[in-house]
Amino acid sequence: MAKIKVEYICQQCGRRAPKPLGKCPQCGSWNSMVAEMADRHRPSSGTNSQPLRLAEIEGDVGARLPLGIGEFARVLGGGVVPGSVILIGGDPGIGKSTLLLQMSLSLARGNRVLYISGEESQPQIKARAERLMQGRAFPQDLFLLTETRLESIRSHITSMKPAAVVIDSIQTVTSDRIDSGPGSLSQIRESTAQLQSIAKSSAVAIFLVGHVTKDGAIAGPKVLEHIVDTVLYLEGDAFHSFRLLRAVKNRFGATSEVGVFEMQAEGLVEVTNPSEAFLSERVPDSPGSAIAVTMEGTRPLLVELQGLTNTTTFGHPRRTANGIDTNRMLLTIAVLTRRVGLPLADQDIFINVVGGLRVYEPATDLAVAAAIASSMRDQPTRPEMALIGEVGLSGELRRVPHIEARLNEAASLGFRQIIIPRAKVSTSVKHKNVEVIEVASLQQALNRALAKN
Ligand code: TYD
Ligand code: MG
């Protein structure tokens, strides 16, 4: 009998070693090496491929399948390309299974769809589908399968010839060719690689659900992202209903598009006008609130930033940022203190982005500063005003990209005054119905933004 060879594989980055190492020499993770059986079947080196001149290549990537969910299709670049593999990551309970079942239900009107689950039983999935369909009839072409063996999945795909397959989740799939347990890196990698070749050879689009680890990476992480064609993340937080679907890799389209959904009782509902949704609970004229215009990919989004300052009762003042980068918040506070002269040293300061959204763009600095100053002075910002600009260390307001798109979005939502950084070349931006206020410094911006009592 052949000797069984054991290798040690870093579960974070896939580095192989003949001996267990405490610290991975490649990615630096501690205690991440796990013993796995060496692959018994390395791919053979026979060749039946054929180099072709560019001009000789026939065929194209194939017409995209429309998906039936506009926000989902837009993130993929207008639908899914047959033969591609799409990995969807996200925290447990965020709505990955829901989204893919909804997609399957609408795609199966006209296309054969196979939904394979290794996590839920057929009756469980049916119950969810019933809720999603709310009494409407099930499409004839949607098939459910509970299976985790890759070899069996392969034979079902070959015999059924679906247009799209969903696998929930890749961590449950195991191949007979690998001896290590389900969810191990070798299993995940092998299964994904095989699914990639099944997708290509039978022109079926395969959607894989990938669980994320606590650091936010898809388990069996970077390695997987390299194998598949497209990587999407479904984000949001458990306490809010908004969900953002974001592409981080896309071989068939841009990675800049973002889909916005809201989790409701009847599943994920597309939010076609996200800015309006994010501002729906705003109370104008309350101190500590400011409107920023951030870019999500190519799409401008209006968000409400709230600031609260409160005199520290003991010890160090607290600074808590929810939805923005803490370092940017600290920087903005320092600039407000030194360049604007706000006495913030003895204040606890809290910043919150309404709706559970995360904004990491420097262009929202000005709104953060205005929210803090507004709370500190107990003066609301002007109700029909949006604020755009990055704050520099000297208290200057810095230019940000896509100013035109931001202005248009703010204007279309009824904002009548918009503060933007002054352009070096004075080609002042004009906009109908809107007063565009160009300012050079944070101080000037706050003078214009805070309504005097
Ligand atoms: P799920 O799709 O199972 O998440 P994942 O597959 O990412 O782990 O979503 C689970 C959550 O979504 C669950 O807490 C209930 C909620 N949910 C709704 O609010 N409405 C619905 O119609 C459905 C199906 C789920
Ligand atoms: Mg799930």
Side-chain angles (χ1 to χ4, degrees), residues 30-343:
W30 287 94
N31 301 324
S32 61
M33 292 270 176
V34 169
E36 295 192 4
M37 303 294 178
D39 302 4
R40 279 182 288 157
H41 304 270
R42 296 268 180 188
S44 74
S45 57
T47 170
N48 45 18
S49 54
Q50 180 71 48
L52 284 179
R53 290 196 174 83
L54 268 181
E56 292 168 355
I57 295 170
E58 284 173 9
D60 52 32
V61 292
R64 290 171 185 260
L65 296 175
L67 290 190
I69 302 180
E71 290 290 300
F72 196 165
R74 115 194 225 126
V75 175
L76 290 175
V80 63
V81 174
S84 63
V85 177
I86 300 102
L87 177 66
I88 299 177
D91 292 335
I94 204 75
K96 302 178 295 295
S97 305
T98 305
L99 180 65
L100 289 174
L101 186 58
Q102 273 179 262
M103 181 211 71
S104 304
L105 287 163
S106 62
L107 193 57
R109 271 180 234 117
N111 303 285
R112 185 171 275 200
V113 180
L114 177 59
Y115 187 104
I116 305 171
S117 181
E119 308 208 326
E120 291 159 304
S121 67
Q122 282 157 322
Q124 271 175 324
I125 301 168
K126 184 179 178 190
R128 174 178 291 169
E130 265 162 1
R131 190 136 59 90
L132 294 173
M133 292 305 279
Q134 297 188 304
R136 283 167 290 151
F138 287 140
Q140 282 299 311
D141 281 330
L142 177 56
F143 294 81
L144 298 187
L145 171 69
T146 38
E147 182 59 77
T148 56
R149 273 188 62 239
L150 182 74
E151 286 69 22
S152 152
I153 290 173
R154 176 200 294 276
S155 72
H156 283 297
I157 295 177
T158 329
S159 62
M160 265 189 63
K161 299 197 180 11
V165 173
V166 173
I167 296 180
D168 190 0
S169 67
I170 186 63
Q171 276 88 5
T172 61
V173 178
T174 55
S175 166
D176 295 347
R177 287 166 56 168
I178 302 286
D179 289 329
S180 29
S184 67
L185 190 64
S186 340
Q187 280 292 4
I188 295 175
R189 184 170 40 198
E190 173 69 15
S191 308
T192 310
Q194 289 201 42
L195 287 163
Q196 176 71 273
S197 85
I198 296 171
K200 294 287 171 293
S201 61
S202 37
V204 50
I206 301 185
F207 294 85
L208 305 175
V209 170
H211 291 299
V212 298
T213 60
K214 56 181 181 312
D215 336 324
I218 293 176
K222 292 295 167 203
V223 227
L224 260 193
E225 302 197 356
H226 292 304
I227 306 173
V228 300
D229 297 302
T230 302
V231 181
L232 309 178
Y233 276 91
L234 187 61
E235 307 175 345
D237 73 56
F239 306 107
H240 293 93
S241 54
F242 290 112
R243 301 284 181 270
L244 262 62
L245 185 66
R246 219 185 269 281
V248 296
K249 165 181 175 176
N250 192 355
R251 285 191 184 142
F252 301 105
T255 51
S256 52
E257 292 300 342
V258 173
V260 185
F261 298 91
E262 192 172 358
M263 182 62 95
Q264 294 184 359
E266 65 276 15
L268 287 162
V269 178
E270 295 179 64
V271 178
T272 40
N273 194 341
S275 298
E276 204 166 68
F278 288 123
L279 298 184
S280 62
E281 287 172 19
R282 183 177 182 222
V283 186
D285 293 324
S286 61
S289 157
I291 304 298
V293 190
T294 182
M295 295 299 293
E296 279 295 351
T298 56
R299 189 193 245 185
L301 207 60
L302 272 81
V303 289
E304 180 186 356
L305 287 160
Q306 292 184 319
L308 181 66
T309 57
N310 190 25
T311 309
T312 308
T313 38
F314 62 92
H316 290 294
R318 289 186 56 183
R319 271 82 213 264
T320 309
N322 214 336
I324 69 165
D325 179 38
T326 310
N327 287 326
R328 286 216 76 83
M329 177 201 193
L330 296 177
L331 181 150
T332 309
I333 293 171
V335 175
L336 279 170
T337 312
R338 288 296 307 278
R339 309 288 179 207
V340 181
L342 277 187

Side-chain angles (χ1 to χ4, degrees), residues 388-401:
I388 303 168
E390 176 179 349
V391 171
L393 291 186
S394 321
E396 82 280 20
L397 214 55
R398 298 184 154 263
R399 302 273 302 158
V400 298

Side-chain angles (χ1 to χ4, degrees), residues 3-9 16-20 34-39:
K3 195 165 162 249
I4 297 169
K5 198 170 152 237
V6 174
E7 289 185 295
Y8 293 84
I9 302 182
R16 290 158 184 271
K19 285 185 297 183
V34 169
E36 295 192 4
M37 303 294 178
D39 302 4

